[in-house]
Amino acid sequence: MKKILISAFGLVLLGSCAKDFSNKDPKAPSIVPSYTLFSNAEKALSDQLASSNVNSGIFRLVVQHWQECTYTDESNYDLGTRNIPQNWWATYYLTVLQDAQASKNLIPTDVLDAGIQKNQLATADILQVYAYYILVATYGNIPYTQALDINNPFPTYDDAATVYADLLSRLNADISALDPGVEAFGSADLLYGGDVSAWIKFANSLKLKMGMLLADSDPATAKSTVESAVAAGVLESNDDNALFHYTTSTPNVNPVWTDLVQSGRKDFVACATLVNALKGLNDPRLNDYFTTDANGDYSGGDPGASSNYATFSKPAEALTAADFPYDVLDYAEVEFLLAEAVERGMNVGGTAESHYNAAITASMEFWGGSASDASAYLAQTSVKYSTAAGDWKEKIGMQKWIALYNRGFDAWTEQRRLDYPELEAPETALSDYPIRYTYPTNEQNLNGPNWKAASAAIGGDEVTTKLFWDKF
């Protein structure tokens, strides 16, 4: 894994101690440098995606990678009791997007060099595009054009497809604006340490990812978006992965460590769906993903059912370490997308099989395996691209679901998009398998007319309402 020194972590919470801002309350500064706001936006994005807190981060449960032990509400798709959609929504709007926007507002004043200023503005905007992409893929229509206007507490909702088109336009402009010969945020950039060339690859890979989301709803736009992203240069190895490196010192620690280790809670075990799939495929990542169970084997709890913590396998100790990094976007995902692009007739080079093999190899190496482990795994009839069960969607969908372990939101999005593996709702579930989050309760109560209009526009504010890109 690529190591980035996080020297700006101390700036995330309180701003720089090296400058005197003449605040009456030094613990609540009225002015902060633009780069600290960017750092905090990056951290908030990673923290939210990495979190296993059941108040918002339940995607590992939904995609049946983990299972709850005593309290099984979230495994059974109870989104309302803890107001999960509101908590997910609020982090992106109130922290990621607002901090990135505040950073953009301050950069023209804080940064005198025109080239650095341009790179910083583009990088901060890429972070906003990613956050909006997550919101659109979660809810559908969302506040966008009026979303960050502090003087408008009741924003209207924009059409999701229209928002998405604008996000792609912004991303293209950002990519064009980035100049690798000029500095950006330096050590305040907690993903790439100010490496502008890395951000160009990241932005193109995000463009590839976003383009593929449109593959069933708008094939022409998907094709042109994907092909242009690949031509410009996407992630090429695990060294390019967008890893947010946590530390062993609070509060800058892996959120999973906070949720499971620091809290002393015993809330989660492996889910039988994933464990059985890994065992059936002789997947060497099994012991990278989970601990052994009470019998020295590997086993998981059934989806939606109470599961004895002492009996079943648990998330691996490496994953729950305080300094385990979060994988915001990686090379394995890029290669899976390229395998799919080939199958869809897009001009991205290579074969579906070569990209599929590269994706699985990258995943195994990321988790500590070797190329020989991957070769042996790929040689199996049940895994080999030409002989594995199902059509290309099933082959890629199954292996991508496995590789996206610990990246619950992305695993959920890809499962909804490819429809593989086929995950059945627990018998005790409150609804069918959720393919979107409902809108937050606060929106219903405080922004009622606009919420009603948005709900009607997408076909109803239900977890089973298909979003514009989800055609099958």
Side-chain angles (χ1 to χ4, degrees):
M1 301 178 192
K2 187 176 181 181
K3 301 292 183 182
I4 298 294
L5 178 64
I6 308 181
S7 59
F9 251 151
L11 305 175
V12 169
L13 298 178
L14 299 178
S16 172
C17 338
K19 297 182 181 180
D20 178 11
F21 298 115
S22 301
N23 295 297
K24 293 182 180 179
D25 182 356
K27 293 186 178 181
S30 58
I31 302 174
V32 295
S34 55
Y35 60 84
T36 65
L37 290 161
F38 175 76
S39 300
N40 203 55
E42 284 185 308
K43 184 175 185 294
L45 177 72
S46 179
D47 284 355
Q48 181 74 321
L49 290 169
S51 177
S52 58
N53 189 305
V54 291
N55 291 299
S56 62
I58 69 167
F59 299 111
R60 293 177 180 89
L61 305 173
V62 173
V63 299
Q64 298 175 16
H65 285 171
W66 290 7
Q67 174 52 35
E68 290 173 294
C69 295
T70 304
Y71 307 105
T72 62
D73 294 350
E74 292 72 36
S75 300
N76 286 292
Y77 314 149
D78 180 355
L79 304 182
T81 298
R82 296 181 183 274
N83 211 352
I84 292 167
Q86 184 165 298
N87 297 327
W88 184 255
W89 172 286
T91 296
Y92 291 104
Y93 276 116
L94 300 182
T95 307
V96 181
L97 289 168
Q98 287 283 11
D99 282 1
Q101 187 61 46
S103 179
K104 287 165 63 176
N105 292 343
L106 289 171
I107 286 168
T109 302
D110 285 0
V111 181
L112 300 180
D113 185 281
I116 296 175
Q117 184 182 119
K118 191 175 181 181
N119 275 347
Q120 288 190 358
L121 288 169
T123 306
D125 196 64
I126 291 167
L127 203 64
Q128 286 188 312
V129 169
Y130 201 158
Y132 275 123
Y133 155 79
I134 292 169
L135 289 166
V136 168
T138 302
Y139 301 96
N141 292 9
I142 57 168
Y144 181 66
T145 54
Q146 299 178 3
L148 304 181
D149 181 359
I150 196 171
N151 296 312
N152 181 9
F154 309 113
T156 58
Y157 287 59
D158 295 86
D159 173 72
T162 304
V163 171
Y164 209 79
D166 190 64
L167 292 176
L168 286 173
S169 178
R170 285 171 62 172
L171 191 57
N172 284 330
D174 294 332
I175 293 168
S176 297
L178 288 172
D179 182 353
V182 180
E183 295 180 7
F185 281 105
S187 61
D189 172 9
L190 305 181
L191 282 178
Y192 284 119
D195 186 338
V196 177
S197 295
W199 272 100
I200 292 172
K201 288 184 179 181
F202 175 88
N204 280 311
S205 300
L206 176 58
K207 182 178 173 180
L208 166 65
K209 178 188 181 95
M210 292 178 63
M212 199 60 75
L213 194 77
L214 301 175
D216 291 327
S217 62
D218 187 352
T221 299
K223 187 175 189 297
S224 61
T225 300
V226 166
E227 290 179 353
S228 64
V230 174
V234 293
L235 306 185
E236 298 176 282
S237 74
N238 280 338
D239 288 340
D240 294 332
N241 291 353
L243 299 182
F244 193 97
H245 288 278
Y246 290 101
T247 74
T248 56
S249 301
T250 57
N252 303 314
V253 293
N254 171 18
V256 175
W257 178 86
T258 302
D259 298 337
L260 304 187
V261 179
Q262 185 185 46
S263 69
R265 298 185 66 87
K266 299 180 178 180
D267 291 339
F268 305 111
V269 294
C271 183
T273 309
L274 179 56
V275 170
N276 292 342
L278 293 170
K279 291 175 74 172
L281 294 170
N282 299 309
D283 196 313
R285 287 168 291 189
L286 182 58
N287 65 354
D288 297 317
Y289 288 2
F290 300 111
T291 66
T292 54
D293 62 17
N295 297 318
D297 195 2
Y298 295 92
S299 61
D302 291 332
S306 296
S307 304
N308 186 287
Y309 184 82
T311 301
F312 298 107
S313 298
K314 271 76 73 176
E317 291 182 7
L319 187 153
T320 62
D323 59 351
F324 190 80
Y326 186 75
D327 199 359
V328 176
L329 183 63
D330 68 18
Y331 172 59
E333 181 182 3
V334 164
E335 286 291 353
F336 277 121
L337 290 167
L338 294 177
E340 178 183 346
V342 173
E343 291 286 7
R344 291 183 181 273
M346 299 177 185
N347 183 22
V348 296
T351 65
E353 182 173 15
S354 68
H355 290 301
Y356 171 90
N357 291 349
I360 291 172
T361 301
S363 174
M364 288 198 177
E365 291 179 340
F366 175 84
W367 285 97
S370 66
S372 59
D373 292 333
S375 295
Y377 180 70
L378 287 162
Q380 298 179 105
T381 301
S382 58
V383 178
K384 188 175 181 180
Y385 197 72
S386 60
T387 56
D391 61 12
W392 66 264
K393 278 193 174 185
E394 183 172 353
K395 298 173 200 281
I396 294 173
M398 171 60 76
Q399 289 296 330
K400 197 169 191 180
W401 172 73
I402 292 172
L404 286 171
Y405 179 70
N406 200 45
R407 294 180 58 196
F409 174 79
D410 288 305
W412 180 55
T413 301
E414 293 305 287
Q415 194 283 329
R416 290 181 292 160
R417 193 173 66 80
L418 295 172
D419 298 310
Y420 286 103
E422 296 177 331
L423 300 176
E424 295 184 5
E427 293 183 1
T428 51
L430 297 184
S431 69
D432 290 338
Y433 186 82
I435 53 177
R436 67 176 289 271
Y437 266 6
T438 51
Y439 290 122
T441 302
N442 274 357
E443 287 294 298
Q444 300 174 34
N445 293 337
L446 303 177
N447 196 17
N450 290 322
W451 162 72
K452 288 180 180 178
S455 300
I458 65 171
D461 188 11
E462 306 292 339
V463 297
T464 52
T465 299
K466 280 186 174 287
L467 301 181
F468 79 96
W469 50 266
D470 188 3
K471 293 296 184 182
F472 302 108

